[in-house]
Amino acid sequence: SLANTVARNRLRDLGEGTRDFGAISAIAYAGAPYAGTVISHNCVRHARGLFSESDGSLTDGTESYSVYLDNEASGYSVYGNVLNGAAQAAVFVHLGRGNTIEGNVLANATNADGDGSQGLQVEGRVGETANNTFRRNIVAVALTPTRSLVASTGTFDPRYLRPEAVTENVYFPVAHDFGDDVAASDGSHAPPAW
C-alpha cells in the first residue's frame, strides 16, 4: 500500500527470535512504485537479531536494524526517530531508491557481526538503487568493528548514495555505550544531555 505513516511508536528488545530483521520493516518488490510513506517520531531500542545455528548454538546480533527498507522499498521518508542499539546498523536500505533519512538520532549500533555501520547501510544494484539521501542526522559513533558511518557489504556504487546526498550530519564520537540515555524515560524524544 502507498502513503502510509508509521509514527510515535516505542519499540524495545526486538528480534530475539529471528535474524534478517527490522524493528520497523517495509518490503517491496521489483519495480515497486515510490511508497510515499513516512516513518517518523518513533523510538526503537535494541533490535538485536538472534540466529540458531545447525548445531543448536545461538548467534546474537545478526542482521538486525532499527529501520529496514527491504527489496526495493522506495520513496520512504525516515525522520525524527531515535534509533538506539541495533545489531547491524540503525537504517538499512536494500535495493531502494529515493529514500530520505533525515533528522534522526542514531546511536549504539553494535556492528555485532563485524559488518554494517553506525548510521546507514546501503546495498544495491546499478540501475535499481539510486538517489537515497542521508542528511541532518545526529550519529553517535562508537568503537565498533567497522567504525563506519555509512557502509555497504557488497560492491558499492556512488549512485546508491551520492556523496553530496550525505550532508549536514553531526557525528558525535563516544568511547562507550551510553545506553538508553538517547531517549527520555517517559518515551519523549528529547535529546540526551551530551
Side-chain angles (χ1 to χ4, degrees):
S1 64
L2 304 176
N4 294 295
T5 300
V6 179
R8 304 198 179 278
N9 296 287
R10 293 177 62 192
L11 306 169
R12 184 182 184 118
D13 300 320
L14 303 158
E16 295 179 345
T18 188
R19 66 181 264 184
D20 196 15
F21 170 81
I24 297 173
S25 186
I27 189 165
Y29 52 88
Y34 277 54
T37 290
V38 172
I39 299 171
S40 69
H41 301 101
N42 298 287
C43 180
V44 178
R45 298 177 186 171
H46 310 294
R48 299 299 315 145
L50 188 65
F51 179 68
S52 176
E53 304 286 349
S54 59
D55 66 2
S57 63
L58 296 176
T59 301
D60 184 26
T62 305
E63 298 180 52
S64 292
Y65 312 90
S66 296
V67 176
Y68 193 168
L69 304 179
D70 199 8
N71 291 351
E72 296 190 42
S74 300
Y76 284 78
S77 178
V78 179
Y79 72 87
N81 299 285
V82 175
L83 309 175
N84 182 26
Q88 188 83 2
V91 179
F92 182 33
V93 175
H94 181 239
L95 303 174
R97 60 200 179 285
N99 295 299
T100 299
I101 295 84
E102 179 174 18
N104 301 285
V105 175
L106 314 172
N108 297 326
T110 65
N111 310 135
D113 64 359
D115 241 342
S117 76
Q118 294 294 308
L120 176 65
Q121 183 170 336
V122 178
E123 304 297 334
R125 281 192 286 257
V126 173
E128 294 175 8
T129 307
N131 301 322
N132 293 295
T133 301
F134 185 72
R135 67 178 173 230
R136 298 185 194 122
N137 298 287
I138 298 172
V139 185
V141 183
L143 301 177
T144 63
T146 64
R147 296 185 187 177
S148 175
L149 303 171
V150 176
S152 178
T153 58
T155 302
F156 184 79
D157 185 284
R159 289 173 281 196
Y160 302 169
L161 183 70
R162 298 177 328 277
E164 63 271 17
V166 180
T167 182
E168 302 176 70
N169 296 294
V170 174
Y171 303 106
F172 181 80
V174 294
H176 64 283
D177 180 333
F178 50 87
D180 291 332
D181 292 341
V182 296
S185 61
D186 66 359
S188 67
H189 295 247
W194 290 337

